[in-house]
Amino acid sequence: MKKLELLYEGKGKRLYRCEDEDLLISEFKDDLTAFNAQKRGNEEGKGVLNCQISTKLFRLLEENGIKTHLVDTISQNEQLVKKVDIIPLEVVVRNIATGSLVKRLGIEDGKVLPFALVELYYKDDDLGDPLVNDEHCLLLDIASESELEELKRLGREINTILKSFFAKRDLKLVDFKVEFGKDRDGNILLSDEISPDSCRFWDAKSDEKLDKDRFRQGLGGVKMAYEEVLRRIKN
Ligand code: TMP
Ligand code: ASP
């Protein structure tokens, strides 16, 4: 499939038009950003790692009945994906309290939550991706009531599938962010990516961080952590 012009460049990926008008090529970048791109970095090979990790996880989810935008991988850091209209919401699911949840509500860092917490954030860089509730979403016309229910249900289902997959690989799925899009027929498809850029993984025994928090917190060893996640996923 021939790569045509660049349509959109995000923080972690570039989207290109291709010869099929219903499809796009998604290229995973080596760039790393945090805190709404106030902190920037680059890790050679990160794009390849995230593409491989995300491909594997999307296939796993497809096998478990979750519809996704993934069609195929066409190179080490490129996927062929279905064209969708992205719903401008980040669906965050948390199993263990850390990150912004701890800052916002004062819950103890590392506390295992009694149930999977689902949160919605409005994707708007100028506003700093604020936390929103269902009524905010209706007010802003982001999604209908039934779509919001569907997004939260999908978030929980993805969590159930991924949590047990990672538990078998000695990784705690602490929390993660997913995005969804709508295809031409209005079907909601899991889109974007699932990778150590968009998830938190802690080693089951040592609680060592194996995700983008290594970059956010300046801990070093970013690439080694992503490689370790891929190695365990392949097992
Ligand atoms: P948070 O604790 O900073 O709100 O992050 C929750 C989860 O969402 C964590 O797994 C990282 C992921 N995330 C993103 O993928 N993109 C973002 O812009 C943010 C803020 C978090
Ligand atoms: N992805 C966001 C950014 O680049 C924030 C984050 O993941 O911490 O700014």
Side-chain angles (χ1 to χ4, degrees), residues 57-72:
L57 297 178
F58 272 52
R59 289 201 174 126
L60 170 77
L61 292 167
E62 283 274 3
E63 284 162 17
N64 284 277
I66 306 285
K67 292 198 190 86
T68 82
H69 74 162
L70 179 64
V71 177
D72 210 352

Side-chain angles (χ1 to χ4, degrees), residues 119-136:
E119 298 174 330
L120 303 174
Y121 293 83
Y122 178 34
K123 265 170 71 73
D124 185 312
D125 283 341
D126 293 339
L127 298 175
D129 296 346
L131 178 69
V132 286
N133 65 22
D134 285 18
E135 287 180 320
H136 292 132

Side-chain angles (χ1 to χ4, degrees), residues 3-234:
K3 200 161 156 184
L4 303 173
E5 80 268 17
L6 178 68
L7 291 177
Y8 172 80
E9 177 154 6
K11 294 181 194 125
K13 290 180 295 302
R14 294 187 190 91
L15 285 176
Y16 294 87
R17 204 162 69 79
C18 68
E19 289 152 309
D20 185 329
E21 63 173 36
D22 290 327
L23 304 178
L24 297 174
I25 291 171
S26 172
E27 180 193 270
F28 288 67
K29 305 200 297 186
D30 288 343
D31 296 347
L32 276 158
T33 64
F35 317 118
N36 204 7
Q38 288 179 65
K39 178 170 180 167
R40 289 173 179 277
N42 187 279
E43 194 73 44
E44 205 192 321
K46 195 243 349 173
V48 169
L49 289 165
N50 276 2
C51 183
Q52 291 185 53
I53 292 168
S54 196
T55 299
K56 171 78 191 170
L57 297 178
F58 272 52
R59 289 201 174 126
L60 170 77
L61 292 167
E62 283 274 3
E63 284 162 17
N64 284 277
I66 306 285
K67 292 198 190 86
T68 82
H69 74 162
L70 179 64
V71 177
D72 210 352
T73 44
I74 53 168
S75 79
Q76 282 207 311
N77 71 333
E78 291 168 312
Q79 294 177 336
L80 195 60
V81 299
K82 290 177 191 152
K83 194 192 268 181
V84 294
D85 285 326
I86 289 287
I87 299 167
L89 287 175
E90 299 193 338
V91 179
V92 168
V93 184
R94 302 178 188 268
N95 298 305
I96 297 176
T98 195
S100 71
L101 180 67
V102 164
K103 284 205 193 97
R104 187 179 313 110
L105 298 180
I107 301 172
E108 184 196 346
D109 203 309
K111 182 182 158 58
V112 177
L113 300 174
F115 54 86
L117 175 69
V118 182
E119 298 174 330
L120 303 174
Y121 293 83
Y122 178 34
K123 265 170 71 73
D124 185 312
D125 283 341
D126 293 339
L127 298 175
D129 296 346
L131 178 69
V132 286
N133 65 22
D134 285 18
E135 287 180 320
H136 292 132
C137 295
L138 296 175
L139 206 67
L140 294 170
D141 212 10
I142 296 171
S144 69
E145 246 168 296
S146 61
E147 285 169 346
L148 291 168
E149 284 313 311
E150 172 80 351
L151 294 177
K152 288 185 277 185
R153 187 188 64 77
L154 285 166
R156 287 192 189 93
E157 210 170 305
I158 291 167
N159 183 53
T160 303
I161 299 162
L162 293 184
K163 205 177 140 183
S164 85
F165 175 83
F166 283 110
K168 289 178 199 138
R169 287 153 180 85
D170 275 338
L171 283 174
K172 291 181 192 169
L173 177 63
V174 174
D175 56 29
F176 65 89
K177 181 268 300 178
V178 279
E179 296 183 23
F180 297 89
K182 277 198 266 185
D183 70 10
R184 232 199 312 196
D185 303 321
N187 298 307
I188 293 184
L189 307 183
L190 174 66
S191 303
D192 192 53
E193 69 180 285
I194 303 181
S195 73
D197 273 7
S198 60
C199 304
R200 287 192 176 100
F201 300 114
W202 293 354
D203 178 78
K205 294 191 187 80
S206 66
D207 277 350
E208 187 189 1
K209 297 177 199 299
L210 295 169
D211 56 64
K212 196 165 99 173
D213 268 352
R214 301 203 71 84
F215 171 72
R216 292 190 189 98
Q217 298 173 11
L219 301 174
V222 175
K223 194 172 172 191
M224 264 165 28
Y226 285 42
E227 281 168 347
E228 180 60 18
V229 170
L230 179 61
R231 192 186 68 76
R232 295 200 198 181
I233 281 178
K234 281 181 167 171

